[in-house]
Amino acid sequence: MPTLEAAEKVTGATRYVGDLLVPNMAHAKVLRSPLPHARVLSIDAAEARAAPGVVCVLTRDEVRAAGIEPVYGFVYRDAPLVALDKVRYQGDIVAVVVAEDAAAAEAAAELIEVDYEELPAVMDVEAALADGAPLVHESFSPIAPELRPIEGTNVCHRAHIARGDVEAGFREAYRVYEDTFTAPPVQHCALDLHACIASIEDGAITVWTNCQSPFPLQRELQRIFKMDARVIVPYVGGGFGSKSRDRLECVVTAAAQLAGRPVRLVLTQEETFQTFIRPAYHGTIKTGVRADGTIVARHVRFTIDVGGYAISGARSANNTLKVATGPYRIPNVLVECDAVYTNKPPSAPYRGLPTTQHTMAYETQLDRIARDLGIDPVELRMRNLVVDGDVHITGDLLRSTHAKECLEAAAAGIDWGTPSTPPETPSKLRGKGVSCTIKYTLTPPTRMSENGAAISLGEDGIFEVRIGTVNIGQGSDTTMAQFAADGLGVGLERIRVVHSDTALVPVDSSTTASRSTYHMGNAVLDAASKLTAETLAVASHLLERDAGDLALGPDGVEAPDGPTLAYDELVRRSGGPLSALGECVVGGTYTAPDGTEYPIASTFWSFASAAAEVEVDTDTGEVRVLRMGAASNVGKAVNPDSVRTQLEGGLGMELGPTLFERLVWDEGGQLLTAALMDYPLPTMETSPTYRPEIVEHPFEGGPFGAKGMGEIGSVITPAAVLNAVYDATGVMFHEVPLLPHKVLEALEAL
Amino acid sequence: MKITISINGKREQREIEPSRTLLELVREDFGLTGTKAYCHSGICGACTVLLDGAAVSSCSLLAAQADGADVTTIEGLAAGTTLHPIQQAFIDHFGFQCGYCTPGMVLLTKALLDEVPEPTREEIVRYMGGNICRCTGYAGILASVEAAAKALSGEIPAGET
Amino acid sequence: MRPFEYLRPTTLAEATDVLAEHGDDALVIAGGTAAVVMMTLGVLRPGTVVDVGRVPELGGSRADGGVLRLGALTTIRSIERDPAIAQTYGLLAEAASQVANVRVRNRATVGGSVCYGEPQTDMPPALIAMGASATLVSSSSTRTVPLADFFEGPYETALEPGELLSEITVPQPEPGSEPGAGTGGCHMKFTIGSPENKPVANASVLVRLDGAGRCVEARIVLGALGPVPVVAVDAAALLDGEVPDAKLIAEVASRAGDAADPADDLRGPVWYKRRIARVLVERALRCALRKAGHEVP
Ligand SMILES: Cc1cc2nc3c(=O)[nH]c(=O)nc-3n(C[C@H](O)[C@H](O)[C@H](O)COP(=O)(O)OP(=O)(O)OC[C@H]3O[C@@H](n4cnc5c(N)ncnc54)[C@H](O)[C@@H]3O)c2cc1C
């Protein structure tokens, strides 16, 4: 079924943040650092302040004078509102000019004179880890307790996870394989540009933004400005992780405070590339197998380039430790990671990152093993995939896996087992590949109530569902309305959804990591059941009937024989709206059969597979993806069409980083792929046909059996494509993107 | 300078700065925010409008260049509350998720079907290839355009795409 | 975008007069597809913008007396769609159809596409292969420059301050005089990712055969492989008087690759671009020969 807001969207009526106007609003432009690493010696903004139309200029001097907290960050408090002592990447925020219109602000920003002392920059992880490397940050400021920086280095988080004895495993193996993997940074390219409006009135802040985490942002605003704050997130035109954390809101609020009026900032596409990027990933993977292909040991080491600020990057590295060894039953595993500061823009999650890169690593290696041992790639996976009752690397007891079913369904989507139809010329080669993955969802280390949803029945007889979930295109309003309607037993036309306004909805952590359907869904169902009870209790009183005899009907509370008490009338007679707050409790520990207590690493685990058929032009090295199959175990598909679209979207989007997207900096730290003209994105012309399949097995604990799947499509893409290229050409690539010149080079080295 | 422009069938006069783009004029002066901005360089197609019936990027056109022209934005497509068959097809065939590229996609489809009422799949892909969508992977958009072509050529009744 | 004075002349004389008056500070815009973007980015900051989009003398296209006259304002889209052009000047239509996306083609003009001087564009190689010339007018002079001599470097052309390109003339390819003889043209490009991104290379090939399948004339022009379009004279000369076979085609392609003068950039290293030049020339040459009536197995 189409989303509730569908008609609004096709008529252009939907308002995104960039479409909002606030009375008396001024416009901001950010002055950015031209250098990747430098000390800021002096800033002279006098001329800019005097320029026509300029309201004010925010620099470190104004920030200090305002007495606000000058540094922010979610897991690391390491990002200054505007540069204090140093700039840490090309594009770092140095000053903000506020003017009557955007053009005046832009013109004035050029009048600011900044004196820099250039410092040596570390543009990649290798340079940042070298002995005596310049330090991006001289000291560390982690807030999240699980982060472990290494003093005196650029490593802002070092972590590992293990089970069994990996060295013993390698000793008992028939063969051991080791490979190195690389994926460069890319940007999310959500078309809805980062934007926000900040206003301070009567000692309270209001921010309109397209940030995916309104409540953490609210807390950060309150901490920095020591004022009440309200965050409103209207519809968001895609984020894919680039908006998972705030970056501009606190800065713009400081500008609004200085200006004494509302201030609006909308970035350009080039500036979004200087705001959040998907980090570079490097890793090695070593796997030991028995002669029959059974995996006995796996050791994964990887680094993540978090960029100049670890606002959120360090934590995503940590989370993916849990999935680095894949959806396989492996007795001996060890995963180690370093999250490293460099002079690149800050990193952010990207539709499942870095599960995507891990999957690329273990799945391409598996195909190499398959060929070496003479086992069919699907068969080799079948021998190793986890099943219900297996224990994961984290200690979690896996349930509702269905990983094998996903693989079979995905492979069938490209007619696995039958050879490709021959291409039109002999210089082209075709091949097929598959991939499997496992993914976690963000889960707190201790048992807690994480998400709230409220439902109230108002005087208009409408059930208003209030949720923190940001509607970013995934159709969350619709899913939650369906849950509420089903939970209450009323029709969708009785439901209205209010989303992501911190003043109106209960606290929610964020709309990330495929978590909303499960968590918010459960909270909505909980609220629905509480409100049902309350409504029936009130009706029972008004009708003088036993509550047990009553039920919610389409238009009011119904008694078996008697009249219906209309909802609006019920509310009027009861003296005011009825309301209930629902919650979803997650996290905590469980007890393993041997009595050990394990913290639950993930509330649910997602499983999925992809299959790709490609054509490689051996004259040019060009790879075209012809068709893709995919299957995901989503628990119960609440809205199957949405699930399919979401899967196709993930597959299609990730083809960009697989085939041609990458960010490139020159030696001086200047971004060369700054504009779309030099940064190709997938289009309809480069897109294959898809066969997405839903593997449905209701998940116990999920709302109507659903679990999340927002990001799974992208995670499985690169591995399937690389394996298909291997099948077609015999060349295995351990890196993306598959730039044609690299493909050609490898083909000729055969 | 003063320009006269017909926006969605209504003739309007405006005094403008010559340095303003058609995109800025439409969004800021006329408040028609269905036309979106992203790349500001003619690539992504979020700002697509119809200029005398032809699809153009409103970001890379001065408003002054459109003086005297007929401009159609997404707001001008539906007849009152009745959706245009192309809009209905995009809903029925899941031609969008976040909706940000949708106004441009719908208008580009309109330009295509006005020119080529019964396009082949190759023609659709070539014509629509310029506009970027980040959510759908394009399968739903392709299906929407094909359905819209059928609906408009009377092969199936509008509303049952 | 920075403010500027906007002038919209309505005659050619008026246009050249205002250009003469404003000199270097004036920027001509036609379709605006490139110029407006560069102003938005702040790369161009003219004091005066001269919009020549409504100068009637610059519009219109017609084929007469064995010459195709394309007014500077002729859009790329109309070149792509004009059946008369497709029939006799197929190479131009083919190149036009590969420019950017339909939104750009609807606005972009042929004058703009050459005056822009960007090395990666499609129209210059095709126009050069067809032997086209540009007519340049100023308030005091009119001159004609073969397009092969028009490009001087990236974004640099033979246009002098105060000059406008008014028209591009393309001689009609000589039809084959003997039975079975024919002319064929083909334009190909190779782009990583979506077609509106800058290509690794493009190539235009035009061949004319006599009744015996011998090549009487051949032109090969490469784009994106140097600061200006590369006319691969030596490579084309290999075809003179020959009946092309697979071996000769490969030799021609290889020689054309040697003529390329590419730079190492985001779109690939030098060796790769030369390789792509070879592949494109080989493919385009085969395609042009096929259109001329000579299929090479
Ligand atoms: C997104 C995008 C993708 C593109 N992809 C391609 C592609 O694939 N292939 C390709 O070939 N090109 C491509 N281009 C370039 C395109 O061809 C040019 O933008 C277009 O041809 C310029 O024509 P215009 O009329 O819009 O010129 P304008 O933008 O108006 O002007 C361009 C330049 O030419 C000068 N000029 C224009 N007309 C005249 C004249 N009559 N006399 C003197 N000077 C003049 C202007 O002063 C300016 O410097 C692309 C452009 C964009 C924006």
Side-chain angles (χ1 to χ4, degrees), chain B residues 7 54 100:
Chain B
I7 299 239
Y100 200 85

Side-chain angles (χ1 to χ4, degrees), chain A residues 677, chain B residues 41-44 60 65, chain C residues 19 26-38 44 52 58 72-73 76 95 98-101 103-104 107-118 120-124 136 159 163-167 189 191 195-199 202:
Chain A
M677 195 65 95
Chain B
S41 56
I43 296 179
C44 74
S60 34
Q65 291 179 283
Chain C
L19 280 180
L27 174 72
V28 172
I29 66 167
T33 56
V36 172
V37 170
M38 287 190 286
L44 293 179
V52 298
L58 301 179
L73 294 178
I76 302 295
Q98 293 175 48
V99 169
N101 52 52
R103 288 173 274 107
V104 170
R107 288 293 308 172
T109 65
V110 70
S113 79
V114 301
C115 294
Y116 186 24
E118 192 193 70
Q120 282 91 359
T121 50
D122 292 289
M123 296 312 289
L136 311 181
L159 275 176
E163 258 183 340
L164 269 179
L165 187 155
S166 62
E167 176 177 87
K189 72 201 267 189
T191 308
E196 57 263 80
N197 293 93
K198 290 179 182 165
N202 66 43

Side-chain angles (χ1 to χ4, degrees), chain A residues 555-578:
Chain A
D555 300 311
V557 175
E558 294 171 357
D561 45 358
T564 297
L565 175 59
Y567 289 123
D568 49 356
E569 195 190 331
L570 180 150
V571 172
R572 266 196 307 279
R573 284 175 54 192
S574 76
L578 309 182

